[in-house]
Amino acid sequence: MLFRSKIISKKLCSDQEQYQKNRKIIIDSIEEECKKRNIDAIIYPYQKSHYSIYKKLLQLNISLDNVHETQTLRIITDTIDHCYTILGIIHTLWKPNIRRFKDYISVPKKNNYRSLHTTIFGPGGVITEIQIRDKEMDKQAQLGTILQKGQNGKK
């Protein structure tokens, strides 16, 4: 597993400069559109873990070169209405990959996880995953992650 982690790390580092440029354009554009609509939104990058990327490789039986959305943006806002408004803004600014859209707000996961997930072809066609939630959903997701890590540690 350590060898695979080094390979994933090398891939992430080689893409980092392009990701940072695209991330800034995306964040600035979304923030500008949210301000026009008086929507408070916190936008921050979220690096997927090496293990999460590795699981995706195994699950989809693909090579690392075919994993594009290693960089994720997370957007936290005040209300569910704002979540959907921000989703509309994003899909207006960039073309979404319709096969990579999930509405876990309308249809929560079994563990009650709630969020909107979309994947876009951002600036220069670079694929970026975006998660949108309100503050309460984010608290639940963070708590769920902590509980899951605690349970996995006991096994």
Side-chain angles (χ1 to χ4, degrees):
M1 181 69 177
L2 181 61
F3 176 70
R4 289 185 184 107
S5 181
K6 286 182 180 182
I7 293 171
I8 291 169
S9 184
K10 185 177 179 181
K11 164 80 170 145
L12 295 179
C13 288
S14 69
D15 294 341
Q16 197 63 29
E17 188 176 328
Q18 187 62 42
Y19 281 134
Q20 286 176 353
K21 287 178 187 175
N22 288 315
R23 208 170 36 220
K24 178 164 177 27
I25 293 168
I26 293 169
I27 290 171
D28 290 349
S29 299
I30 295 170
E31 285 178 340
E32 181 180 327
E33 292 299 319
C34 285
K35 282 180 188 171
K36 288 180 187 176
R37 292 165 177 80
N38 292 318
I39 295 174
D40 289 328
I42 300 166
I43 307 171
Y44 60 93
Y46 171 75
Q47 176 69 52
K48 288 189 174 184
S49 71
H50 292 182
Y51 181 68
S52 154
I53 295 167
Y54 177 68
K55 277 185 8 184
K56 185 174 215 165
L57 294 173
L58 292 178
Q59 184 180 26
L60 300 176
N61 195 25
I62 57 176
S63 73
L64 187 57
D65 292 331
N66 293 323
V67 176
H68 301 289
E69 60 273 357
T70 58
Q71 295 285 326
T72 300
L73 291 178
R74 194 167 282 161
I75 303 173
I76 312 301
T77 190
D78 295 326
T79 67
I80 291 174
D81 285 344
H82 286 168
C83 291
Y84 285 103
T85 300
I86 292 169
L87 177 68
I89 290 168
I90 292 165
H91 286 180
T92 300
L93 293 171
W94 299 282
K95 181 181 176 183
N97 179 343
I98 56 172
R99 289 179 275 182
R100 300 283 301 144
F101 171 72
K102 294 183 179 82
D103 185 344
Y104 295 121
I105 294 175
S106 293
V107 183
K109 287 186 171 187
K110 289 178 184 177
N111 64 358
N112 205 31
Y113 173 81
R114 299 173 70 213
S115 184
L116 295 172
H117 291 201
T118 189
T119 299
I120 59 166
F121 299 98
V126 174
I127 298 169
T128 303
E129 183 180 316
I130 301 174
Q131 301 173 353
I132 309 163
R133 338 175 158 143
D134 71 15
K135 292 175 183 175
E136 187 59 35
M137 290 175 216
D138 190 53
K139 282 182 197 171
Q140 283 183 308
Q142 299 302 329
L143 180 61
T145 301
I146 291 167
L147 291 175
Q148 184 179 23
K149 284 182 180 178
Q151 290 171 351
N152 289 341
K154 291 179 183 177
K155 289 183 179 178

